[in-house]
Structure formats: structure tokens, C-alpha cells
Amino acid sequence: MKTLITGGAGFIGSHLSELLLQQGHEVTALDNLSTGRYENIAHLDGHAGFQFVNGSILEASLVDKLVERAQVVFHLAAAVGVELIIKRPLESLTTNIKGSEIVLDMAHRYRRKVLVASTSEIYGKNTNGPLKEDEDRILGSPLKSRWSYSTAKAIDEILAYIYYKEKGVPTVIVRLFNTVGPRQTGAYGMVIPRFVGQAIAGKPLSVYGDGKQTRCFLHVKDVVAALAKLAEHAGAVGEAFNLGSQEEVAINELAQRIIELAGSNSQVVHVPYDEAYEEGFEDMQRRVPDTTKLQRLIGFKPTRKLDDIIRDVIETMRRAPQGVQR
Ligand code: UDP
């Protein structure tokens, strides 16, 4: 397959590039290096089946050319990370809505298959668990950046779904729950690289709120394996899938496990949400996916437990705290 990955130099995009090349596919990675990093894919540059294009999904003529050449598009480019979304809300909205519109429009023009990466954020404050794909969205005010991000990603999903329903474009929606692994940076807010960095440096681990909120973390290698399978499965077209782990952990416990596994002397400090993000910030108290649909279609099953994931991140961050993480 000739594939195009938007956001191909990002954390998830770079692991997907690697896997698709290993599987014998051709990969064009489009990335504007805003949050993606060339170092993430530098080791792939020069590979016969790989091409890196430094550009944005907002450049319609560039996206037009690249989508025409591809058979399958993995649309991963987006503004991500709660902290980034809160600091730069306008840029986040533009990238997420306009960018996706351009990618889907070109996929329609050339009738290409597109796998659209969405997010568990679309469920908002729904604390039911495990969340099924048809669960209600429960959102706060659209004037709070987190909910505007959730809405922007929901618009991406609606666009993808309507292009399928009305125009017959083969689209697949994948809702990524918390994903973690080497090359993820804590710079945009993600909790595990943050805690691991703090634990290694012997600094206090900054737990936001009361730390009783829970999440489930899936290793990026399990994520990209599922994305590749979904792109090849005809039964995935026109459907939305949750992709995540079901091993639920409270953030307080996560901090303790990281301290222990890193053999660190760090303490935990609790930071109020208003200080960590912005006044009136609302967090999700619980977020657990129901992955039955994905299990049935592609036999999805995580291959790594949370402790393995934490160890992997500790090891790669110890080797290269700021630099290249393989
Ligand atoms: N979090 C934390 N300390 C940090 C960063 C995040 O306690 O330094 C918390 C955050 O408030 C949330 C959870 O960890 O409850 C997961 O945060 P992340 O940004 O990784 O993902 P998301 O909020 O999108 O699930």
C-alpha cells in the first residue's frame, strides 16, 4: 500500500510510520513539526519506501497532491495535549477543524480510504465505564477550551461519517484513549512522561486535583498495530472504534508506581487544577473504554500491562532525557 500519514513525525505517527514500513508499505509522512519532531523519524529518512514532507494539513494544494498519490490516508495531524489546547485554543481549533476538512475533502476528490484519529475527549464528563462507542457525550461550556477541543474533534468525526454516508468515501473513525510510550513528550501536558521526568530528576511529582481521577494507558505499539489492521479491514469502513486499555488506575496510584519503578526518592505534591491549567478547569473523573467492537473485528488485545509501559518510558527517558528516543 502507498500510505500517507498526516502528523507522521509526531509521537504516534512516527511509530505508525515505522510499523507500516516494516510491513512493506510505502509511507509519506506529512508534518509541520509544530509538536512533531524530525528526530522522531530521522532514522527512517533514507529508507526506500519513506518520504518526509515538511508542511501543514492547512496547505490545501499540498494535501491535494499527497492524497492523490496515496491509497490510504492515516489522518493523525492535530493539536493535542490538554495544556497545549488551553494555551493556544484558536490555533488548535483551526488545525483540528479546517485541517480535517481539507484532508477529507481531498479524500473525497480522489476516493481514498481515510482513517481519522479521534479522541476519548469526545465523551467529555461521562463517567460511565466502560464507555461504548454509542455512549452520550456530556460536555461543559463551549467557552472552556477543553470542551471546544472535544467539540472540534467531534466535528471531525461528523465530517468523516457524513462523507461516508452521503458521498461513499471509505472513512474509519478511531477514538484514541490515553496513549503512551517512547517519544511522547510531557511538554503538552501528558502525565506519564511528566511523572517519569520528575521521578528521574528526583523532583516532586505534580498530581493535579485530588489525584482520584482515573485513566487507562495503552502502549503506542499496541495502538499503531490496531490502526494498521483497521486500515486493511473492509468491515471497519463507516464505523467508529474505541482504542485503549481497560487497566484503570487513579493518578495518585500512578504516581506511586512510577516512583517505585524508577527507584526514586521523589515525593508527591498535589496542585489545584486552577493553578495547573486555568481557572474553572474541569477534568474527567474517569475514562475507561469498552473495546468489544475492536476485539470482535480485529481481535484487539493489549500486549503490555501498565507496569511494562512505565518501565519502557523510564528506560527510554533515562537513555535520552531530551533527545532521540527509539
Ligand atoms: N495530570 C497530573 N499531573 C500532570 C499532568 C497531568 O496529575 O503533570 C493529570 C491530569 O489532570 C489528568 C490525568 O493526569 O487527570 C491525565 O492527564 P493527561 O494530560 O495525560 O491526559 P488526559 O487529561 O487527556 O486524559
Side-chain angles (χ1 to χ4, degrees), residues 5 9 36 61 75 82-83 113 118 122 147 171 199 231 238 249 274 301 316:
I5 307 177
S61 58
H75 177 40
V82 177
E83 205 172 290
K113 190 182 235 189
S118 181
I122 64 117
W147 308 127
T171 62
V249 65
D274 287 4
K301 198 170 177 277
T316 46

Side-chain angles (χ1 to χ4, degrees), residues 66-224:
L66 298 178
V67 170
E68 184 183 11
R69 278 196 230 141
Q71 290 161 300
V72 177
V73 180
F74 292 87
H75 177 40
L76 267 52
V80 291
V82 177
E83 205 172 290
L84 175 77
I85 283 145
I86 285 168
K87 277 193 191 143
R88 305 211 296 258
L90 188 58
E91 192 186 319
S92 305
L93 274 190
T94 311
T95 308
N96 293 341
I97 302 180
K98 272 199 202 150
S100 297
E101 208 180 328
I102 290 171
V103 171
L104 283 160
D105 187 31
M106 298 311 165
H108 173 223
R109 180 170 296 174
Y110 300 108
R111 312 212 74 80
R112 301 294 190 247
K113 190 182 235 189
V114 194
L115 190 140
V116 174
S118 181
T119 166
S120 55
E121 288 270 331
I122 64 117
Y123 294 110
K125 291 185 273 189
N126 188 332
T127 51
N128 287 347
L131 293 159
K132 279 196 193 312
E133 282 83 356
D134 59 359
E135 200 88 28
D136 286 344
R137 305 179 58 218
I138 303 178
L139 304 180
S141 163
L143 303 186
K144 293 191 174 173
S145 309
R146 179 167 212 163
W147 308 127
S148 62
Y149 168 70
S150 168
T151 301
K153 292 302 288 186
I155 290 174
D156 290 356
E157 286 202 12
I158 296 165
L159 271 173
Y161 188 61
I162 302 230
Y163 264 113
Y164 162 72
K165 283 275 278 191
E166 214 176 297
K167 308 281 186 193
V169 181
T171 62
V172 182
I173 296 161
V174 190
R175 293 182 189 148
L176 302 180
F177 283 64
N178 296 67
T179 303
V180 68
R183 299 180 203 143
Q184 184 178 45
T185 141
Y188 311 111
M190 279 71 168
V191 67
I192 291 191
R194 284 241 171 146
F195 282 1
V196 170
Q198 290 163 339
I200 290 175
K203 293 187 180 150
L205 273 64
S206 54
V207 171
Y208 297 163
D210 64 9
K212 289 185 184 150
Q213 69 273 29
T214 68
R215 294 293 188 272
C216 303
F217 297 91
L218 185 62
H219 195 283
V220 65
K221 293 241 189 260
D222 284 328
V223 169
V224 297

